[in-house]
Amino acid sequence: MPDFTGALPGSARKRLGAIISVTLLSGLLAACAGNAVGPGVTNTNYGKNTLNGASYSDGMAQAPARNATKKTDNTVPNNQAASLAARKPPIRPDVKPKKTAAIPFVQIKAASLANLDSKAIEAKLGKPEMQRGEGSAKVWQYRSDRCALDVFFYPQGGKKQPVLVHMLARLRDGNGEIALQDCLDEVVKDKQSHKG
């Protein structure tokens, strides 16, 4: 096997290494250059053949050039900035938002519930959140986000069916007070908003 360690003097080896490095670097730069143009020259192909062969401006009309001297086509160069600026949003048929009818709030007066049986109360307020019995008495609870309304039924007179004899309203977080009618209004509004 021949020995090449002493074949070239040190300075010649350095020059050969520099020539090889410059040649490789030139080849790499040429591969990166692509369709680059020289200084002072306008690249009229900029923006074309992008997006896997589709141009940003495919199918779009070009704007007339400003201060154009007598040209035959009166167009600006086809580039991405001009085509993106000229792009208009897609035309959609007039879509009108659906109008939602507001459910009118019908207040139920607390006094109008007195002496009604459980079926009549359920027809007006809906099913209670909770029910419990205490002897012949029944207690129903209705809730809104803010308050709880307890409705007490008890047999009155000769009626077998218990009727509403008392209501109690309180805030659910335990702080402060709420008027009975205000809590009843909140319960009714909450039930109306969750219907359907």
Side-chain angles (χ1 to χ4, degrees):
M1 201 137 156
D3 184 18
F4 291 108
T5 55
L8 289 175
S11 61
R13 260 188 294 190
K14 286 183 184 178
R15 278 184 286 200
L16 181 61
I19 292 172
I20 291 172
S21 298
V22 168
T23 305
L24 287 175
L25 185 58
S26 298
L28 290 174
L29 287 176
C32 292
N35 63 352
V37 295
V41 178
T42 302
N43 184 356
T44 58
N45 293 326
Y46 184 78
K48 290 185 179 177
N49 298 327
T50 59
L51 298 176
N52 294 328
S55 173
Y56 285 105
S57 59
D58 282 350
M60 293 176 52
Q62 299 213 352
R66 293 183 187 162
N67 300 329
T69 58
K70 290 191 177 186
K71 282 179 147 184
T72 56
D73 61 355
N74 273 347
T75 58
V76 293
N78 182 10
N79 63 35
Q80 287 175 343
S83 63
L84 288 174
R87 184 177 289 173
K88 295 178 183 169
I91 298 172
R92 295 176 26 193
D94 290 335
V95 178
K96 295 178 183 175
K98 293 179 182 177
K99 291 185 179 180
T100 305
I103 299 171
F105 170 68
V106 179
Q107 186 181 49
I108 298 172
K109 296 284 187 186
S112 71
L113 301 177
N115 296 316
L116 295 179
D117 65 12
S118 57
K119 288 183 180 182
I121 296 296
E122 189 172 334
K124 289 187 179 247
L125 301 180
K127 290 196 177 281
E129 302 272 337
M130 182 185 73
Q131 297 180 28
R132 72 175 193 263
E134 296 175 5
S136 59
K138 293 193 295 187
V139 180
W140 286 5
Q141 188 175 83
Y142 292 92
R143 297 180 191 145
S144 72
D145 290 335
R146 207 169 73 113
C147 72
L149 176 70
D150 293 319
V151 179
F152 297 85
F153 297 94
Y154 196 77
Q156 290 289 311
K159 298 180 182 180
K160 290 184 180 180
Q161 184 72 2
V163 294
L164 190 144
V165 293
H166 183 67
M167 290 188 286
L168 176 70
R170 65 182 183 281
L171 293 174
R172 291 182 68 179
D173 65 5
N175 298 326
E177 294 180 8
I178 186 169
L180 177 65
Q181 187 63 53
D182 292 340
C183 185
L184 180 59
D185 290 347
E186 286 190 24
V187 166
V188 171
K189 287 176 185 176
D190 191 57
K191 292 288 181 186
Q192 281 182 347
S193 70
H194 290 94
K195 275 187 180 178

